[in-house]
Amino acid sequence: MRLRALLDTDALGLRLLGGEDELDRSVRGVMTTDLRDPSRYLSGGELVLTGLAWRRGASDSEPFVRILAGAGVAGLAAGEAELGPIPDDLVDACLRHRLPLFAVDETVAFATITEHVVRQVSGERAGDLAAVVDRHRRLMTSGPAGGGPEVVLDLLTSDLDLRAWVLSPTGRQIAGAGQPLAGHVGASLAGQHLAATRTGRRGPHRAEVAGTTYSLFPIRNNGRGAVPGPRDVRESVLSDWLLAVEADASDWPAARLDLLQGVTQLIAVERDRRDAARTVRRRLAQEVLELVQAGAAPAEIAARLRVAAPVLLPGLGTAPHWQVVVARVEWAGEDADLPGGQVAQALLEEILVDPAVTGPDSADRIAVAHTGDEAVALVPLPAVAPAPAPGGTSGDEGADMASEDRDGEARDTALHADALLAAVRDPLSAGLADDGRLTLGVSAAVHSAEGLRGALEEARHARRVAAARPGRVCAAGHHELASHVLLLPFVPDDVRRAFTARLLDPLRDYDRRHRAELIETLEAFLDCDGSWTRCAARLHLHVNTLRYRVGRIEQLTGRDLSRLEDKLDFFLALRMS
């Protein structure tokens, strides 16, 4: 049944307080709750009844409504018997999340509404229930565990004459029945899906590409790879898969919509299985990253890589070249402190498993870790067999020439920043909308564990270059780095100490006396490329407080942080300290 039918039933005494545009939602059940977080008991499509006992103040409405909207409930009905008129903060929260809100008159019992909904829903389903149950049984027995998503999609084609594809957030086809989607069609559908999801509208979303109509169903990622806790739409939209069906589902009966929702749940199981398969690679990448960042000896890092070789290097041998890719997802505005590390990890894995970018079977060897707001990928490149020494050359000369050949081939197979984002920039830009950014940095290829620390720093510096560019999705490679990045290791120690002491000692002394955190503020300000809003959000400060701190830094050092030269000096001093 539809929400509109409830509003038209006078005996229920419902008044609509918001969400008139969403009254065509299907109601598939009813639940009464006064829990602050009822998500574990929700499966989607319910009319939620509440007496508002969970509400202790105005700030409680937003998280409660966000949880309901994230669970996909059809609507919320709040009773007036205990607290009187529905508070404005609850009305406003429902409007923000596009959740229809009804007021239940104090003379109407929740039991009356529950009985009416159950009777109507049961009656409407009775005719098609046997067919739906039979199809679900076939899907469950033939689903992902018995052959992957393709088996489920084949059943949709044979039973319901529906062509369907599973797509990633970037538009990459993960599974499909029949002819594969063209790359530009998948990218366009993913972009339209991400844009529609960012508006808060519930799926399925209607989309058109080249005159063909599609319905897009979200496949929620609730397994091991999901970001824990209540999910902000900006986190989920960049990691969830979608089911694209070549049909217009806007006038489908509830039974068929239920069936497609069941299909998405089955495919979500396959998503969880694939995420679980990546757990070992993620852990190994995390261990290597921690060793590199801690300055461990190259021999220790090399030993850890040899242990990881069977997992990270299937078919590549034990001594490939390596590249490091660093990614960061950042948000603007009041919620700029949203965790970005796992979102960046999911996106970086998605970008790097594309065979068009990293070659066939790349999904079996990409290892991505995350730390804080940053994701780091270790990308092995195919090892090259040593070339035989040409006739007439000495052994040492032949070895040098063979090494040059290996390095040349590594450069040929290495990842390039522009190629990484060529096919995904448009859909990801739609998902990031006007308040998010994805920036990537790519290192040069290194041929041993000794070079990984430098490659990590190189990739991070390249990402900073990308962050200085306009656009929602940007990348930069090692060849775009300024020369000072490469020269830093060769600066004599006494010069380093003198340079950093002149710039940073006044700040350190001030911090010791006043606990003012000027050094932390300076690092964050430079890391945010001089953006007052982003830096203040990261440090959880008011912008005026940040301006005061930066002014104190300038006063103590005699420098001007609006000048590029002084920013660069501080940047170098922090890097050399």
Side-chain angles (χ1 to χ4, degrees), residues 49-137:
L49 307 177
T50 181
L52 301 181
W54 50 265
R55 183 183 178 276
R56 296 179 177 86
S59 62
D60 293 334
S61 293
E62 170 65 25
F64 180 80
V65 173
R66 183 171 67 245
I67 289 170
L68 296 188
V73 305
L76 173 64
E80 296 179 322
E82 289 291 333
L83 301 178
I86 307 304
D88 291 340
D89 49 89
L90 180 59
V91 176
D92 293 339
C94 288
L95 289 174
R96 280 193 299 273
H97 290 277
R98 294 177 174 268
L99 182 65
L101 174 64
F102 302 89
V104 182
D105 190 85
E106 61 181 334
T107 62
V108 178
F110 283 176
T112 301
I113 299 174
T114 300
E115 182 182 353
H116 178 83
V117 172
V118 170
R119 186 170 58 250
Q120 293 297 319
V121 170
S122 299
E124 290 178 3
R125 289 181 174 177
D128 295 325
L129 186 57
V132 172
V133 169
D134 179 65
R135 287 195 178 102
H136 272 281
R137 184 181 299 112

XYZ file of all heavy atoms in Angstrom, residues 49-137:
660
model
N 5.949 4.142 14.069
C 5.098 4.854 15.024
C 5.904 5.135 16.285
O 6.587 4.237 16.799
C 3.868 4.012 15.371
C 3.023 3.491 14.202
C 1.898 2.610 14.718
C 2.466 4.649 13.397
N 5.836 6.354 16.803
C 6.597 6.693 18.007
C 5.826 7.667 18.876
O 5.136 8.567 18.370
C 7.968 7.290 17.645
O 8.671 7.591 18.848
C 7.816 8.571 16.825
N 5.973 7.478 20.189
C 5.377 8.403 21.150
C 6.331 9.490 21.582
O 6.014 10.266 22.477
N 7.543 9.529 20.969
C 8.557 10.566 21.219
C 9.213 10.451 22.588
O 9.839 11.406 23.060
C 7.970 11.974 21.055
C 7.370 12.302 19.677
C 6.851 13.737 19.668
C 8.415 12.116 18.588
N 9.119 9.278 23.241
C 9.771 9.136 24.546
C 11.287 9.195 24.428
O 11.981 9.462 25.409
C 9.340 7.810 25.197
N 11.838 8.941 23.239
C 13.284 9.010 23.025
C 13.802 10.446 23.026
O 14.997 10.696 23.155
C 13.640 8.363 21.677
C 12.795 8.862 20.532
C 11.662 8.296 20.045
C 12.998 10.056 19.768
N 11.143 9.039 19.028
C 11.952 10.142 18.818
C 13.958 11.055 19.770
C 11.835 11.177 17.912
C 13.869 12.102 18.856
C 12.802 12.155 17.938
N 12.912 11.424 22.844
C 13.340 12.816 22.681
C 13.463 13.504 24.045
O 12.488 13.681 24.754
C 12.336 13.581 21.806
C 12.739 15.027 21.520
C 11.663 15.747 20.708
N 12.018 17.135 20.461
C 11.795 18.126 21.315
N 11.209 17.866 22.481
N 12.149 19.367 21.007
N 14.704 13.905 24.362
C 14.943 14.650 25.597
C 15.209 16.130 25.330
O 15.129 16.950 26.234
C 16.126 14.057 26.344
C 15.874 12.619 26.810
C 17.084 12.052 27.530
N 16.826 10.716 28.037
C 16.975 9.612 27.341
N 17.373 9.696 26.081
N 16.736 8.436 27.864
N 15.548 16.435 24.077
C 15.811 17.822 23.708
C 15.807 17.969 22.203
O 15.720 16.981 21.440
N 15.915 19.208 21.722
C 15.829 19.478 20.290
C 16.940 18.794 19.503
O 16.759 18.423 18.337
C 15.870 20.993 20.041
N 18.111 18.586 20.118
C 19.238 17.987 19.401
C 19.047 16.504 19.126
O 19.803 15.912 18.358
C 20.530 18.195 20.194
O 20.441 17.554 21.454
N 18.052 15.862 19.757
C 17.844 14.423 19.572
C 17.133 14.091 18.269
O 17.190 12.950 17.793
C 17.028 13.855 20.734
C 17.785 13.890 22.045
O 19.030 13.880 22.003
O 17.140 13.933 23.099
N 16.434 15.064 17.676
C 15.610 14.757 16.501
C 16.446 14.417 15.276
O 16.141 13.465 14.547
C 14.686 15.940 16.184
O 13.717 16.106 17.205
N 17.520 15.168 15.040
C 18.321 14.955 13.836
C 18.919 13.558 13.763
O 18.759 12.860 12.755
C 19.420 16.019 13.746
C 20.481 15.788 12.682
C 19.937 15.835 11.265
O 18.892 16.498 11.052
O 20.545 15.229 10.373
N 19.624 13.056 14.820
C 20.174 11.688 14.707
C 19.092 10.619 14.589
O 19.277 9.627 13.886
C 20.989 11.529 16.000
C 20.531 12.607 16.910
C 20.076 13.728 16.050
N 17.946 10.795 15.257
C 16.878 9.797 15.170
C 16.339 9.710 13.745
O 16.197 8.621 13.173
C 15.757 10.171 16.143
C 14.591 9.214 16.138
C 14.666 8.011 16.830
C 13.429 9.502 15.443
C 13.603 7.112 16.832
C 12.358 8.617 15.439
C 12.446 7.427 16.128
N 16.081 10.867 13.127
C 15.534 10.876 11.769
C 16.578 10.380 10.772
O 16.257 9.667 9.816
C 15.047 12.291 11.399
C 14.645 12.357 9.935
C 13.871 12.675 12.286
N 17.852 10.725 10.997
C 18.902 10.256 10.091
C 18.989 8.738 10.087
O 19.175 8.107 9.039
C 20.246 10.862 10.485
C 21.384 10.476 9.522
C 22.663 11.244 9.794
N 23.241 10.888 11.088
C 23.359 11.710 12.108
N 22.948 12.956 12.016
N 23.911 11.307 13.245
N 18.841 8.124 11.246
C 18.872 6.659 11.340
C 17.694 6.056 10.582
O 17.848 5.076 9.844
C 18.863 6.236 12.817
C 20.208 6.564 13.465
C 18.549 4.752 12.955
C 20.217 6.406 14.965
N 16.503 6.633 10.739
C 15.329 6.104 10.033
C 15.492 6.240 8.529
O 15.198 5.305 7.772
C 14.066 6.846 10.493
C 13.643 6.714 11.961
C 12.283 7.364 12.167
C 13.605 5.260 12.402
N 15.954 7.408 8.075
C 16.126 7.616 6.633
C 17.171 6.670 6.078
O 17.007 6.109 4.983
C 16.511 9.070 6.358
N 18.266 6.452 6.819
C 19.291 5.528 6.359
C 18.808 4.099 6.276
O 19.305 3.323 5.462
N 17.848 3.734 7.139
C 17.301 2.373 7.106
C 16.244 2.193 6.023
O 15.788 1.077 5.793
C 16.697 2.029 8.472
N 15.848 3.297 5.362
C 14.885 3.186 4.256
C 13.446 3.034 4.679
O 12.649 2.423 3.959
N 13.064 3.592 5.843
C 11.667 3.489 6.251
C 10.795 4.333 5.326
O 11.252 5.284 4.698
C 11.473 3.930 7.715
C 12.390 3.138 8.636
C 11.699 5.412 7.882
N 9.502 3.982 5.256
C 8.589 4.697 4.360
C 8.156 6.026 4.951
O 8.013 7.023 4.225
C 7.357 3.827 4.072
N 7.911 6.090 6.265
C 7.451 7.324 6.877
C 7.473 7.216 8.383
O 7.696 6.132 8.953
N 7.254 8.350 9.042
C 7.249 8.421 10.495
C 5.931 9.037 10.948
O 5.516 10.077 10.433
C 8.419 9.281 10.989
C 8.473 9.598 12.484
C 8.669 8.321 13.294
C 9.598 10.590 12.782
N 5.276 8.391 11.931
C 4.041 8.916 12.515
C 4.278 9.117 14.004
O 4.602 8.163 14.721
C 2.877 7.956 12.285
N 4.144 10.361 14.474
C 4.422 10.699 15.866
C 3.124 11.020 16.591
O 2.287 11.783 16.096
C 5.378 11.889 15.937
N 2.962 10.442 17.784
C 1.740 10.638 18.554
C 1.759 11.928 19.357
O 2.808 12.385 19.817
N 0.576 12.507 19.544
C 0.439 13.747 20.310
C -0.146 13.507 21.698
O -0.390 14.455 22.451
C -0.452 14.730 19.548
C 0.141 15.175 18.217
C -0.770 16.134 17.459
O -2.001 15.924 17.507
O -0.254 17.081 16.843
N -0.355 12.243 22.068
C -1.037 11.949 23.327
C -0.197 12.346 24.540
O -0.733 12.806 25.551
C -1.380 10.456 23.400
N 1.129 12.167 24.487
C 1.972 12.406 25.648
C 2.517 13.830 25.706
O 2.451 14.494 26.727
C 3.148 11.414 25.641
C 2.737 9.984 25.948
C 2.303 9.806 27.384
O 2.782 10.575 28.251
O 1.480 8.914 27.638
N 3.088 14.310 24.571
C 3.814 15.580 24.578
C 3.076 16.710 23.885
O 3.601 17.824 23.799
C 5.188 15.392 23.921
C 6.098 14.348 24.579
C 7.401 14.229 23.817
C 6.360 14.715 26.034
N 1.906 16.449 23.359
C 1.168 17.502 22.662
C 1.658 17.674 21.236
O 2.099 16.715 20.597
N 1.586 18.884 20.672
C 1.959 19.117 19.272
C 3.376 18.645 18.956
O 4.272 18.716 19.804
C 1.842 20.638 19.123
C 0.871 21.051 20.185
C 1.105 20.123 21.337
N 3.585 18.177 17.731
C 4.893 17.677 17.300
C 5.892 18.827 17.295
O 5.629 19.884 16.713
C 4.799 17.053 15.899
C 3.679 16.011 15.864
C 6.132 16.436 15.503
C 3.807 14.925 16.892
N 7.071 18.676 17.912
C 8.041 19.776 17.987
C 8.599 20.139 16.616
O 8.756 19.280 15.735
C 9.136 19.219 18.908
C 8.961 17.742 18.889
C 7.507 17.489 18.671
N 8.919 21.416 16.449
C 9.411 21.919 15.160
C 10.735 21.277 14.757
O 11.007 21.094 13.569
C 9.578 23.447 15.219
C 8.240 24.165 15.300
O 7.215 23.557 14.931
O 8.234 25.337 15.711
N 11.593 20.948 15.737
C 12.887 20.368 15.378
C 12.717 19.009 14.706
O 13.497 18.640 13.823
C 13.795 20.244 16.597
C 13.097 19.584 17.783
O 13.153 18.355 17.885
O 12.505 20.326 18.577
N 11.694 18.244 15.081
C 11.438 16.970 14.428
C 10.896 17.203 13.023
O 11.289 16.504 12.068
C 10.441 16.146 15.247
C 10.076 14.780 14.675
C 11.319 13.906 14.517
C 9.051 14.077 15.551
N 10.031 18.185 12.865
C 9.500 18.514 11.530
C 10.638 18.930 10.610
O 10.741 18.468 9.462
C 8.453 19.638 11.634
C 7.974 20.047 10.236
C 7.276 19.195 12.487
N 11.535 19.790 11.099
C 12.651 20.267 10.280
C 13.590 19.129 9.894
O 14.065 19.051 8.762
C 13.433 21.346 11.031
C 12.625 22.619 11.235
O 11.649 22.826 10.481
O 12.982 23.408 12.124
N 13.879 18.222 10.832
C 14.768 17.091 10.542
C 14.162 16.190 9.467
O 14.864 15.725 8.561
C 15.043 16.293 11.816
N 12.865 15.940 9.540
C 12.213 15.101 8.527
C 12.235 15.781 7.157
O 12.410 15.115 6.126
C 10.775 14.794 8.944
S 10.649 13.635 10.334
N 12.066 17.084 7.126
C 12.136 17.799 5.851
C 13.524 17.686 5.245
O 13.674 17.494 4.039
C 11.751 19.269 6.054
C 10.275 19.555 6.338
C 10.082 21.026 6.662
C 9.405 19.159 5.138
N 14.566 17.814 6.083
C 15.930 17.721 5.570
C 16.211 16.356 4.972
O 16.936 16.233 3.981
C 16.943 18.009 6.679
C 17.149 19.485 6.976
C 18.383 19.703 7.835
N 18.293 19.053 9.122
C 17.744 19.603 10.195
N 17.234 20.823 10.120
N 17.710 18.954 11.345
N 15.672 15.309 5.576
C 15.966 13.950 5.123
C 14.867 13.380 4.220
O 14.876 12.180 3.934
C 16.167 13.037 6.327
C 17.426 13.305 7.081
N 18.642 12.781 6.707
C 17.665 14.088 8.166
C 19.569 13.185 7.550
N 19.014 13.991 8.441
N 13.929 14.229 3.794
C 12.853 13.802 2.892
C 12.069 12.620 3.457
O 11.710 11.691 2.736
C 13.403 13.450 1.503
C 13.984 14.642 0.760
C 14.575 14.192 -0.572
N 15.016 15.312 -1.365
C 14.292 15.950 -2.280
N 13.055 15.545 -2.505
N 14.771 16.961 -2.956
N 11.833 12.634 4.747
C 11.076 11.570 5.399
C 9.673 12.081 5.703
O 9.511 13.022 6.490
C 11.767 11.140 6.694
C 11.103 9.989 7.450
C 11.165 8.710 6.635
C 11.756 9.795 8.808
N 8.626 11.505 5.093
C 7.257 11.946 5.385
C 6.943 11.838 6.873
O 7.248 10.824 7.513
C 6.394 10.987 4.549
C 7.298 10.528 3.459
C 8.659 10.457 4.056
N 6.330 12.883 7.433
C 6.014 12.924 8.853
C 4.522 13.157 9.050
O 3.951 14.093 8.473
C 6.809 14.044 9.535
C 6.487 14.305 11.007
C 6.841 13.087 11.863
C 7.238 15.542 11.499
N 3.889 12.309 9.869
C 2.477 12.426 10.194
C 2.325 12.674 11.698
O 3.103 12.168 12.507
C 1.720 11.142 9.836
C 1.820 10.733 8.400
C 2.852 9.908 7.977
C 0.895 11.173 7.465
C 2.953 9.522 6.654
C 0.994 10.789 6.139
C 2.030 9.966 5.734
N 1.315 13.436 12.039
C 0.912 13.586 13.435
C -0.286 12.676 13.688
O -1.240 12.646 12.902
C 0.552 15.040 13.741
N -0.237 11.907 14.781
C -1.319 10.998 15.152
C -2.138 11.656 16.261
O -1.607 11.972 17.333
C -0.767 9.644 15.635
C -1.916 8.696 15.968
C 0.142 9.030 14.579
N -3.388 11.873 16.001
C -4.260 12.518 16.978
C -4.295 11.711 18.270
O -4.231 10.467 18.254
C -5.673 12.660 16.407
C -6.548 13.529 17.292
O -6.506 14.764 17.133
O -7.255 12.964 18.149
N -4.392 12.404 19.398
C -4.366 11.737 20.694
C -5.518 10.765 20.906
O -5.464 9.885 21.767
C -4.376 12.780 21.811
C -5.601 13.679 21.819
C -5.554 14.706 22.932
O -4.896 14.448 23.948
O -6.176 15.749 22.782
N -6.562 10.875 20.102
C -7.707 9.971 20.249
C -7.525 8.652 19.514
O -8.358 7.758 19.632
C -8.988 10.654 19.728
O -8.831 10.948 18.329
C -9.249 11.951 20.492
N -6.461 8.536 18.720
C -6.238 7.331 17.906
C -5.114 6.509 18.528
O -4.016 7.024 18.783
C -5.874 7.708 16.453
C -5.601 6.444 15.636
C -6.995 8.522 15.824
N -5.377 5.225 18.762
C -4.363 4.332 19.324
C -3.433 3.828 18.225
O -3.860 3.608 17.092
C -5.042 3.150 20.021
N -2.169 3.627 18.590
C -1.217 3.062 17.629
C -1.668 1.686 17.157
O -1.399 1.284 16.023
C 0.175 2.964 18.262
C 0.917 4.270 18.336
C 2.157 4.354 18.957
C 0.402 5.419 17.754
C 2.856 5.553 19.015
C 1.078 6.612 17.812
C 2.311 6.689 18.447
N -2.342 0.953 18.033
C -2.817 -0.387 17.661
C -3.799 -0.310 16.498
O -3.827 -1.205 15.632
C -3.470 -1.067 18.862
N -4.594 0.756 16.431
C -5.552 0.923 15.331
C -4.815 1.083 14.006
O -5.189 0.473 12.994
C -6.444 2.148 15.594
O -7.133 1.968 16.833
C -7.446 2.334 14.468
N -3.777 1.899 14.014
C -2.998 2.117 12.785
C -2.274 0.838 12.392
O -2.252 0.447 11.215
C -1.990 3.270 12.991
C -2.731 4.565 13.326
C -1.126 3.462 11.754
C -1.819 5.719 13.683
N -1.676 0.147 13.386
C -0.947 -1.092 13.093
C -1.867 -2.129 12.462
O -1.520 -2.772 11.450
C -0.333 -1.655 14.384
O 0.562 -0.694 14.936
C 0.414 -2.957 14.111
N -3.043 -2.323 13.036
C -3.990 -3.313 12.497
C -4.390 -2.967 11.071
O -4.461 -3.850 10.201
C -5.222 -3.380 13.401
C -6.251 -4.406 12.948
C -7.482 -4.417 13.846
O -7.461 -3.721 14.888
O -8.455 -5.103 13.484
N -4.634 -1.666 10.804
C -5.042 -1.256 9.464
C -3.935 -1.529 8.452
O -4.196 -2.070 7.365
C -5.395 0.228 9.477
C -5.777 0.754 8.127
N -7.041 0.635 7.593
C -5.040 1.404 7.172
C -7.070 1.183 6.388
N -5.869 1.661 6.123
N -2.694 -1.170 8.778
C -1.588 -1.359 7.838
C -1.362 -2.843 7.566
O -1.206 -3.256 6.402
C -0.303 -0.693 8.378
C 0.900 -1.063 7.507
C -0.462 0.821 8.435
N -1.337 -3.644 8.620
C -1.098 -5.078 8.434
C -2.180 -5.700 7.562
O -1.901 -6.504 6.662
C -1.024 -5.788 9.807
C -1.016 -7.307 9.618
C 0.211 -5.329 10.562
N -3.437 -5.313 7.792
C -4.538 -5.875 7.006
C -4.422 -5.477 5.536
O -4.589 -6.305 4.637
C -5.871 -5.398 7.587
C -7.088 -6.058 6.913
C -8.368 -5.764 7.671
N -8.623 -4.337 7.781
C -8.549 -3.642 8.903
N -8.207 -4.252 10.037
N -8.806 -2.343 8.923
N -4.104 -4.208 5.274
C -4.017 -3.745 3.893
C -2.835 -4.372 3.164
O -2.955 -4.822 2.025
C -3.885 -2.214 3.861
C -5.114 -1.472 4.346
C -6.324 -1.730 3.469
O -6.215 -1.763 2.247
N -7.471 -1.938 4.091
N -1.677 -4.403 3.821
C -0.485 -4.957 3.175
C -0.679 -6.436 2.878
O -0.344 -6.926 1.793
C 0.759 -4.722 4.058
C 1.959 -5.502 3.514
C 1.085 -3.238 4.121
N -1.233 -7.166 3.840
C -1.447 -8.604 3.632
C -2.421 -8.856 2.493
O -2.220 -9.761 1.667
C -1.972 -9.249 4.918
O -1.047 -9.093 5.962
N -3.477 -8.068 2.420
C -4.447 -8.258 1.354
C -3.876 -7.985 -0.017
O -4.148 -8.714 -0.977
N -3.060 -6.943 -0.145
C -2.498 -6.605 -1.457
C -1.493 -7.633 -1.927
O -1.322 -7.862 -3.119
C -1.840 -5.219 -1.390
C -2.835 -4.077 -1.240
C -2.134 -2.738 -1.131
O -0.898 -2.711 -1.221
O -2.823 -1.734 -0.965
N -0.821 -8.280 -0.972
C 0.213 -9.241 -1.375
C -0.335 -10.636 -1.629
O 0.351 -11.477 -2.202
C 1.274 -9.342 -0.270
C 2.145 -8.091 -0.157
C 3.172 -8.264 0.928
N 4.097 -7.158 0.980
C 5.061 -7.020 1.881
N 5.207 -7.942 2.818
N 5.865 -5.989 1.856
N -1.524 -10.898 -1.178
C -2.022 -12.279 -1.202
C -1.977 -12.892 -2.596
O -1.569 -14.041 -2.769
C -3.444 -12.325 -0.656
N -2.390 -12.104 -3.622
C -2.473 -12.668 -4.966
C -1.144 -13.106 -5.523
O -1.052 -14.113 -6.227
N -0.068 -12.322 -5.243
C 1.241 -12.607 -5.846
C 2.204 -13.258 -4.872
O 3.363 -13.482 -5.215
C 1.881 -11.305 -6.363
C 1.081 -10.705 -7.506
O 0.527 -11.497 -8.284
O 1.014 -9.468 -7.597
N 1.756 -13.564 -3.667
C 2.689 -14.030 -2.654
C 3.374 -15.330 -3.063
O 4.591 -15.474 -2.890
C 1.945 -14.231 -1.325
C 2.811 -14.586 -0.120
C 3.863 -13.524 0.102
C 1.943 -14.754 1.116
N 2.617 -16.284 -3.599
C 3.213 -17.573 -3.959
C 4.312 -17.405 -4.995
O 5.393 -18.001 -4.884
C 2.133 -18.517 -4.486
N 4.051 -16.564 -6.010
C 5.059 -16.359 -7.054
C 6.299 -15.671 -6.502
O 7.428 -16.030 -6.847
C 4.469 -15.535 -8.198
N 6.077 -14.681 -5.636
C 7.225 -13.970 -5.071
C 8.079 -14.901 -4.224
O 9.308 -14.922 -4.323
C 6.744 -12.755 -4.228
C 7.907 -12.131 -3.465
C 6.095 -11.726 -5.128
N 7.414 -15.707 -3.364
C 8.151 -16.629 -2.508
C 8.930 -17.628 -3.348
O 10.094 -17.943 -3.061
C 7.188 -17.356 -1.546
C 7.901 -18.504 -0.831
C 6.622 -16.371 -0.538
N 8.313 -18.135 -4.404
C 8.991 -19.108 -5.254
C 10.222 -18.501 -5.911
O 11.295 -19.112 -5.951
C 8.026 -19.624 -6.326
C 8.695 -20.634 -7.245
O 9.065 -21.717 -6.766
O 8.872 -20.323 -8.446
N 10.088 -17.294 -6.428
C 11.241 -16.642 -7.074
C 12.349 -16.378 -6.053
O 13.527 -16.567 -6.335
C 10.797 -15.345 -7.742
C 9.977 -15.561 -9.000
C 9.893 -14.274 -9.813
N 9.141 -14.476 -11.039
C 7.885 -14.099 -11.211
N 7.242 -13.505 -10.231
N 7.264 -14.312 -12.353
N 11.972 -15.910 -4.865
C 12.981 -15.661 -3.842
C 13.718 -16.947 -3.462
O 14.933 -16.939 -3.254
C 12.345 -15.045 -2.593
C 12.275 -13.547 -2.649
N 13.357 -12.757 -2.385
C 11.255 -12.700 -2.949
C 13.014 -11.485 -2.507
N 11.747 -11.421 -2.851
N 12.966 -18.062 -3.392
C 13.602 -19.325 -3.045
C 14.626 -19.707 -4.104
O 15.732 -20.144 -3.814
C 12.545 -20.430 -2.897
C 13.122 -21.768 -2.440
C 12.047 -22.831 -2.321
N 11.040 -22.442 -1.337
C 9.790 -22.142 -1.642
N 9.380 -22.179 -2.906
N 8.935 -21.809 -0.704
